[in-house]
Amino acid sequence: MTALRRRKGKKPQNSEPQSEENKEKKSNETEECSNTENLNLNPGCSSSSSTSSSSSRRRKWSCVDSCCWFIGCICSLWWFMLFLYNAMPASFPQYVTEAITGPLPDPPGVKLAKEGLQAKHPVVFVPGIVTGGLELWEGHSCAEGLFRKRLWGGTFGEVYKRPLCWVEHMSLDNETGLDPPGIKIRPVSGLVAADYFAPGYFVWAVLIANLARIGYEDKNMYMAAYDWRISFQNTEVRDQTLSRIKSNIELMVATSGGKKVVVVPHSMGVLYFLHFMKWVEAPAPMGGGGGPNWCAEHIKAVMNIGGPFLGVPKAVSGLFSAEAKDIAIARAVAPGVLDMDVFGFFQTLQHVMRMTRSWDSTMSMIPKGGDTIWGGLDWSPEEGHACSSKKKKNGQTSGHNKTGDLANSVRIKYGRLLSFGKDVADLHSSEIEMVDFRGAIKGNNLANITCRDVWTEYHDMGIGGVKAVADYKVYTANSILDLLHFVAPKMMKRGDEHFSYGIADDLDDKKYDEYKYWSNPLETKLPNAPEMEIFSMYGVGIPTERAYIYKFSPATECYIPFQIDTSAEGGEGGPCLKGGVYSVDGDETVPVLSAGYMCAKGWRGKTRFNPSGIRTFIKEYRHAPPATLLEGRGTQSGAHVDIMGNFALIEDIIRVAAGATGEEIGGDQVYSDILKWSDRIKLKL
Amino acid sequence: MGSILRFRKLCFLEPVKFTSNDEKRKAEEEKQLSPSPKVDQKTSQPAAATTTALLKDKTKKKPLKEWRCIDSCCWTIGYLCTTWWLLLFVYHCLPANLAGLKAPEPPGSRLRRDGLTALHPVVLVPGIVTGGLELWEGRPCSEGLFRRRLWGGGSFTEIFKRPMCWLEHLSLDNETGLDPPGIRVRAVPGLVAADYFAPGYFVWAILIENLARIGYEGKNMYMAAYDWRLSFQNTETRDQSLSRLKSKIELMYITNGYKKVVVVPHSMGVIYFLHFMKWVETPPPMGGGGGSNWCSKHIKAIMNIGPAFLGVPKAVGNMLSAESKDVAFIRAMAPGLLDSEILGLQTLEHVMRVSRTWDSTISLLPKGGETIWGNLDWSPEEDHVCESAKKFDAKGNNTDGRRDFQVLESTNYGRIISFGKKSSELLSSELPTLGSQEQASLQNGNSQVSNVSCGKVWTEYDEVSRECIERIAENKVYTVKTLLDLFRSIAPKTMKRAEAHFSHGIAGNLDDPKYNHYKYWSNPLETKLPDAPEMEIYCLYGVGIPTERSYVYKVSPSSRCRSIPIQIDSSADGSQNGCLKGGVYFVDGDESVPVLSAGFMCAKGWRGKNRFNPSGIATYVREYKHKAPANFLEGRGLESGGHVDIMGNVALIEDVLRVAAGGSGVELGGDRIYSDIMKMSEKIKLRL
């Protein structure tokens, strides 16, 4: 359908210039004729001249009909090409590619199949936020005809066709965090749930295809699709998703002759699976009642891809002002949506905010561990980090500007996750005047009668509240939580029942049996499974959002009152600051610190978080952009989602699935400064 | 995607249409333009020959016309496309429920208003052919088809694009009945496996939609998709499909508050589920080890739709000559396929070769022998009067009872295959019979027919000599019992493979330990139902459509490459009671399954406490009279009784929903019978 529409859209544009061309051609013809007319030789001329006598009739014909003519021409051409394309042998693109770039390396599946690797351990995929498909099971009348059609994932056609209806159905209830009455949106099940996010935009498909090469198929691969909008425990309450995963893992272990499963979670799926591991061993009413050895008996390895163990700073800006550059890939896929006025009157962002704030799961990714992990006002673990552009310069003139580097490292205070104004971000803490916002009276409501049905909690805040927020100037990971409680009390109230962001002092405290702590690695113990292995696999080498500079929005009633100050640029001194965002090393979404810390230090050896001494491995993959256009999204990418097509990563997964251990695939593989940074974090282990 | 394809197809047709249009227009233009160019032509013709550098090939015709010839073609295409888009646009702008087009309220919404909500989890078991199959590993010719559907769901475009490749991947290994080396084709999992067979051709979709209206969703609805080409036990050996089904039922039972499941099998799924029930209670090496109470603990009711309990005669036609009118609906879906020459004249042979590697087709051969299906002179349906004859009677109401009497005698349904129309009508005493010795010699007398020139098509007929075929034909008539012997002689490999997995007899003593073997599990006449007194079994099927019951065959004209030596004698028409048409005797049923096969077990075989049903599970027969769709808008009909179309039957859906929401068979109204099933069942002398 989209192809159709696109074609339709193009047509008028194309036909215009070409019709002009036609006119020119005609005039050329007549010129030719006039040349030859004297001799009266050319029959074509005579005819055209004869028709020119009845030119008025002819003109009429050409006006409307040449339009049709060109449409016809283009259509025929299009079909012809389509026909050729369909008739083309499937391997043709590969021939072309190889002709240009030389022979491509075998995909890892083929390579390893040649080495004799075979399917051994069943594989479980746990997709992350946003990448899983959602389909409609029950809806309001505006969603007629969409029964069991995808609302999320696929072509997103409905976003354009009936945007308000779409937003209404995608939102959850503001109080309960579950379905609004009369609407049922459920996750798509099976491998199709997240193999492709949109046509041609793979997520798991490449990995699945490669696993299939060594003998995997539906019976020993399982996609643990869940509704990524709702909180983890609610997926069990509403859909019994956790029970289903448990039962499927048990089934796969039983049918494959007692081989334990290899779990491959991605992005938020990492947290979801942490939650699962605690849930499955917890006794029945709240948990799955699998007994204390369930994980040891059923899981061989957990291979976390791009795991935001400790949260992502992006989530903060996403919740605060709906401006996450791409909290996953929503923007990348539909770049126009957020900026256009699809929803009428420029309220797109407000709609998005209203919708995303009803999704509990986004709160699972708020930075965890507070100032201890993410740094205080004047300190942060990453402070020595030099951004990529700077590094390159260093490479050229090595050792030359060590001082500049040092100055740079002093200046960037990543600990200040949010600061109002660039100057504030650079000041020393003693120089900042902070006015506490916590007690501030929120003041009278902004008049929001004109704002239609767009409802964000900002409208309850009033000007006084907004001002108080800005007056506090600087927020660290600790105070961010207070800030979010202040600006979005309802949402955080919901979130507090399901998630926690602190660090446990005494892990044996009874309160940590509560499910809200299960997805926070700093407040739970790993299961008692000494033979299990945990891998942390993530990309490095891409600037990743870490801290933000904010400003007031121009005060109009319907706007979100804060926005990222895109004018704040680092300039020569600080290349890490760009468009109001301080960036650090990572995979474009998750900073290295969040992805790697637990495996690098938090769980390394026997610690209080890892009482049975589960072995952990760090596997970093340096980002290399695709060399040619033909490579698509690259076979060496380190980006958060594109890494799923990274050959090195796929090879590692296949080897482990075929029975290898962490040592056998080479142990740690570290490119970033994660070990140095981890040492700076003073966490009781 | 579907719409694009359809659109493209439509557009590809256009040029064909236009040529005629163009010619007309051309002719008109010629008339209009003829006066002026003529004059010019006379004067300019000699000179024109010299200055044709620019207008190379236009010299022969008048240049203006040439210009218009191509252009008007483009013009019309453009014109039509624009109109098409315009219409499409208008169509999309239409409100979804235009007053005139409003469809009747679906049963789900009505029942919801009555207060029904989802209670028992529902398990759907698809039948043969309707489930999708996708490719996991293939030969080089199938490149780019990884995880694409080879069967079902899609538009079957691959058949046309690379037919040989497609056939190669769909056939199984001839010896093992499992995958050939290097090829892995697997069942599509999930509800998508069989909701639509092809775009717009629903199978389970309507039922699913109505279940969803009373609150069902992914967590309490499960499609037990399996590879329908394999024998039932092999689905467990290769894919662990039975284990998976067991685990899913247990999970749904627990997560839905310990509510038993309602199972809805369709067509071959019915015997698959019979197999499952035996498998699940059998101890581990061969079975699922669920213990003897598994079924009574987990299953509330089995609602068999269009059940093929005792097999279908169609399967016979399919085995013999690949000519079943549609053993599922291969023909209905691709009517041109079998008759066209895409596969190079040997379509039927190819189909036979492939389908004979599918063990599951053997499971559909008629079971119970002559006791159930009748012998040379007798059959349970013998006094069935076909519709056309009935109508005749109704018109001239005083027509002779003598004729009716004649009908009684002349339709020998028991003769499932007869060679020549005459032999199907003769008395048994007049028939030539083949001694058992002679039959044995059939098997020995095979000599290879030279088939060098016939390409690679291989059917087992190539190993059966011509004389042998003639001898088979001389035997004139076959009943269900002798038919099996016939198969053993003409298709020894297929039968050898399949008979390790299926059995078609009647058990003498059900407690005999040999009946613990899995090959008996899918035959209701050789197994006991599980010990589950609270369970209910329903037989839901359509009646009122003529259904194939027995065939008139002939020896096909001999040609070297026609390797199927016999075919249905489609010239045999019109017996006195109108039951014979195109070489096929018809009887009442749902177009695929005769009433006898669908209803007998529920009507008599399992009724009350008997040796097949020791715990006295309650059975109900519910028939749905076929009514063709009243108007075009109804699509495939709301009251259809067709084998597959019945899945959209409003009354059937309502019954399923009511049971799923907690209703019992008595609450539904017990039996509901239109056909003569009770009378027929009485005639069958089966020890119960």
PDB file of all heavy atoms in Angstrom, chain A residues 14-24 66-67 70:
ATOM      1  N   ASN A  14       6.537  14.395 -11.289  1.00  0.00           N
ATOM      2  CA  ASN A  14       7.291  13.923 -12.437  1.00  0.00           C
ATOM      3  C   ASN A  14       6.687  14.386 -13.746  1.00  0.00           C
ATOM      4  O   ASN A  14       7.383  14.729 -14.673  1.00  0.00           O
ATOM      5  CB  ASN A  14       7.340  12.396 -12.440  1.00  0.00           C
ATOM      6  CG  ASN A  14       8.338  11.895 -11.420  1.00  0.00           C
ATOM      7  OD1 ASN A  14       8.978  12.714 -10.763  1.00  0.00           O
ATOM      8  ND2 ASN A  14       8.448  10.605 -11.300  1.00  0.00           N
ATOM      9  N   SER A  15       5.387  14.343 -13.774  1.00  0.00           N
ATOM     10  CA  SER A  15       4.741  14.598 -15.049  1.00  0.00           C
ATOM     11  C   SER A  15       4.921  16.054 -15.464  1.00  0.00           C
ATOM     12  O   SER A  15       4.988  16.352 -16.637  1.00  0.00           O
ATOM     13  CB  SER A  15       3.269  14.240 -14.979  1.00  0.00           C
ATOM     14  OG  SER A  15       2.654  14.995 -13.973  1.00  0.00           O
ATOM     15  N   GLU A  16       5.003  16.944 -14.505  1.00  0.00           N
ATOM     16  CA  GLU A  16       5.119  18.364 -14.833  1.00  0.00           C
ATOM     17  C   GLU A  16       6.326  18.658 -15.727  1.00  0.00           C
ATOM     18  O   GLU A  16       6.144  19.064 -16.870  1.00  0.00           O
ATOM     19  CB  GLU A  16       5.200  19.194 -13.547  1.00  0.00           C
ATOM     20  CG  GLU A  16       3.875  19.346 -12.834  1.00  0.00           C
ATOM     21  CD  GLU A  16       2.869  20.143 -13.627  1.00  0.00           C
ATOM     22  OE1 GLU A  16       3.297  21.087 -14.310  1.00  0.00           O
ATOM     23  OE2 GLU A  16       1.681  19.808 -13.602  1.00  0.00           O
ATOM     24  N   PRO A  17       7.523  18.397 -15.196  1.00  0.00           N
ATOM     25  CA  PRO A  17       8.686  18.749 -16.019  1.00  0.00           C
ATOM     26  C   PRO A  17       8.709  18.004 -17.343  1.00  0.00           C
ATOM     27  O   PRO A  17       9.114  18.559 -18.363  1.00  0.00           O
ATOM     28  CB  PRO A  17       9.875  18.362 -15.146  1.00  0.00           C
ATOM     29  CG  PRO A  17       9.324  17.481 -14.089  1.00  0.00           C
ATOM     30  CD  PRO A  17       7.915  17.852 -13.928  1.00  0.00           C
ATOM     31  N   GLN A  18       8.220  16.768 -17.285  1.00  0.00           N
ATOM     32  CA  GLN A  18       8.321  15.998 -18.508  1.00  0.00           C
ATOM     33  C   GLN A  18       7.369  16.521 -19.566  1.00  0.00           C
ATOM     34  O   GLN A  18       7.669  16.469 -20.746  1.00  0.00           O
ATOM     35  CB  GLN A  18       8.053  14.528 -18.223  1.00  0.00           C
ATOM     36  CG  GLN A  18       9.341  13.807 -17.863  1.00  0.00           C
ATOM     37  CD  GLN A  18       9.093  12.369 -17.530  1.00  0.00           C
ATOM     38  OE1 GLN A  18       8.251  12.092 -16.694  1.00  0.00           O
ATOM     39  NE2 GLN A  18       9.796  11.475 -18.168  1.00  0.00           N
ATOM     40  N   SER A  19       6.240  16.985 -19.114  1.00  0.00           N
ATOM     41  CA  SER A  19       5.310  17.521 -20.097  1.00  0.00           C
ATOM     42  C   SER A  19       5.901  18.766 -20.744  1.00  0.00           C
ATOM     43  O   SER A  19       5.715  19.021 -21.928  1.00  0.00           O
ATOM     44  CB  SER A  19       3.970  17.831 -19.441  1.00  0.00           C
ATOM     45  OG  SER A  19       4.123  18.871 -18.519  1.00  0.00           O
ATOM     46  N   GLU A  20       6.633  19.507 -19.941  1.00  0.00           N
ATOM     47  CA  GLU A  20       7.299  20.667 -20.518  1.00  0.00           C
ATOM     48  C   GLU A  20       8.309  20.224 -21.571  1.00  0.00           C
ATOM     49  O   GLU A  20       8.396  20.801 -22.649  1.00  0.00           O
ATOM     50  CB  GLU A  20       8.019  21.443 -19.417  1.00  0.00           C
ATOM     51  CG  GLU A  20       7.087  22.363 -18.663  1.00  0.00           C
ATOM     52  CD  GLU A  20       7.741  22.910 -17.422  1.00  0.00           C
ATOM     53  OE1 GLU A  20       8.995  22.948 -17.389  1.00  0.00           O
ATOM     54  OE2 GLU A  20       7.015  23.298 -16.517  1.00  0.00           O
ATOM     55  N   GLU A  21       8.990  19.165 -21.189  1.00  0.00           N
ATOM     56  CA  GLU A  21       9.969  18.626 -22.108  1.00  0.00           C
ATOM     57  C   GLU A  21       9.305  18.268 -23.427  1.00  0.00           C
ATOM     58  O   GLU A  21       9.817  18.535 -24.505  1.00  0.00           O
ATOM     59  CB  GLU A  21      10.549  17.357 -21.476  1.00  0.00           C
ATOM     60  CG  GLU A  21      11.954  17.040 -21.840  1.00  0.00           C
ATOM     61  CD  GLU A  21      12.406  15.829 -21.059  1.00  0.00           C
ATOM     62  OE1 GLU A  21      12.783  15.991 -19.895  1.00  0.00           O
ATOM     63  OE2 GLU A  21      12.347  14.731 -21.596  1.00  0.00           O
ATOM     64  N   ASN A  22       8.137  17.700 -23.267  1.00  0.00           N
ATOM     65  CA  ASN A  22       7.393  17.282 -24.439  1.00  0.00           C
ATOM     66  C   ASN A  22       7.077  18.467 -25.332  1.00  0.00           C
ATOM     67  O   ASN A  22       7.192  18.423 -26.544  1.00  0.00           O
ATOM     68  CB  ASN A  22       6.111  16.597 -23.993  1.00  0.00           C
ATOM     69  CG  ASN A  22       5.454  15.869 -25.142  1.00  0.00           C
ATOM     70  OD1 ASN A  22       6.157  15.324 -25.976  1.00  0.00           O
ATOM     71  ND2 ASN A  22       4.141  15.893 -25.174  1.00  0.00           N
ATOM     72  N   LYS A  23       6.641  19.524 -24.664  1.00  0.00           N
ATOM     73  CA  LYS A  23       6.325  20.732 -25.426  1.00  0.00           C
ATOM     74  C   LYS A  23       7.556  21.197 -26.209  1.00  0.00           C
ATOM     75  O   LYS A  23       7.470  21.583 -27.367  1.00  0.00           O
ATOM     76  CB  LYS A  23       5.850  21.835 -24.481  1.00  0.00           C
ATOM     77  CG  LYS A  23       4.333  21.774 -24.245  1.00  0.00           C
ATOM     78  CD  LYS A  23       3.939  22.788 -23.191  1.00  0.00           C
ATOM     79  CE  LYS A  23       2.688  22.354 -22.448  1.00  0.00           C
ATOM     80  NZ  LYS A  23       2.561  23.040 -21.167  1.00  0.00           N
ATOM     81  N   GLU A  24       8.660  21.142 -25.498  1.00  0.00           N
ATOM     82  CA  GLU A  24       9.880  21.557 -26.177  1.00  0.00           C
ATOM     83  C   GLU A  24      10.144  20.706 -27.400  1.00  0.00           C
ATOM     84  O   GLU A  24      10.458  21.203 -28.477  1.00  0.00           O
ATOM     85  CB  GLU A  24      11.066  21.414 -25.222  1.00  0.00           C
ATOM     86  CG  GLU A  24      11.211  22.583 -24.280  1.00  0.00           C
ATOM     87  CD  GLU A  24      12.319  22.320 -23.294  1.00  0.00           C
ATOM     88  OE1 GLU A  24      13.266  21.590 -23.654  1.00  0.00           O
ATOM     89  OE2 GLU A  24      12.223  22.842 -22.186  1.00  0.00           O
ATOM     90  N   SER A  66      -1.803  14.554 -22.033  1.00  0.00           N
ATOM     91  CA  SER A  66      -0.373  14.259 -21.894  1.00  0.00           C
ATOM     92  C   SER A  66      -0.071  13.905 -20.445  1.00  0.00           C
ATOM     93  O   SER A  66       0.849  13.160 -20.146  1.00  0.00           O
ATOM     94  CB  SER A  66       0.467  15.458 -22.333  1.00  0.00           C
ATOM     95  OG  SER A  66       0.143  16.572 -21.552  1.00  0.00           O
ATOM     96  N   CYS A  67      -0.888  14.458 -19.585  1.00  0.00           N
ATOM     97  CA  CYS A  67      -0.766  14.105 -18.171  1.00  0.00           C
ATOM     98  C   CYS A  67      -0.994  12.603 -18.013  1.00  0.00           C
ATOM     99  O   CYS A  67      -0.176  11.883 -17.437  1.00  0.00           O
ATOM    100  CB  CYS A  67      -1.806  14.890 -17.370  1.00  0.00           C
ATOM    101  SG  CYS A  67      -1.343  15.118 -15.667  1.00  0.00           S
ATOM    102  N   PHE A  70       1.756  10.489 -19.459  1.00  0.00           N
ATOM    103  CA  PHE A  70       2.964  10.273 -18.659  1.00  0.00           C
ATOM    104  C   PHE A  70       2.716   9.331 -17.499  1.00  0.00           C
ATOM    105  O   PHE A  70       3.574   8.532 -17.158  1.00  0.00           O
ATOM    106  CB  PHE A  70       3.527  11.605 -18.184  1.00  0.00           C
ATOM    107  CG  PHE A  70       4.305  12.261 -19.257  1.00  0.00           C
ATOM    108  CD1 PHE A  70       3.827  13.380 -19.895  1.00  0.00           C
ATOM    109  CD2 PHE A  70       5.513  11.720 -19.669  1.00  0.00           C
ATOM    110  CE1 PHE A  70       4.536  13.960 -20.911  1.00  0.00           C
ATOM    111  CE2 PHE A  70       6.227  12.301 -20.691  1.00  0.00           C
ATOM    112  CZ  PHE A  70       5.737  13.433 -21.322  1.00  0.00           C
TER     113      PHE A  70
END
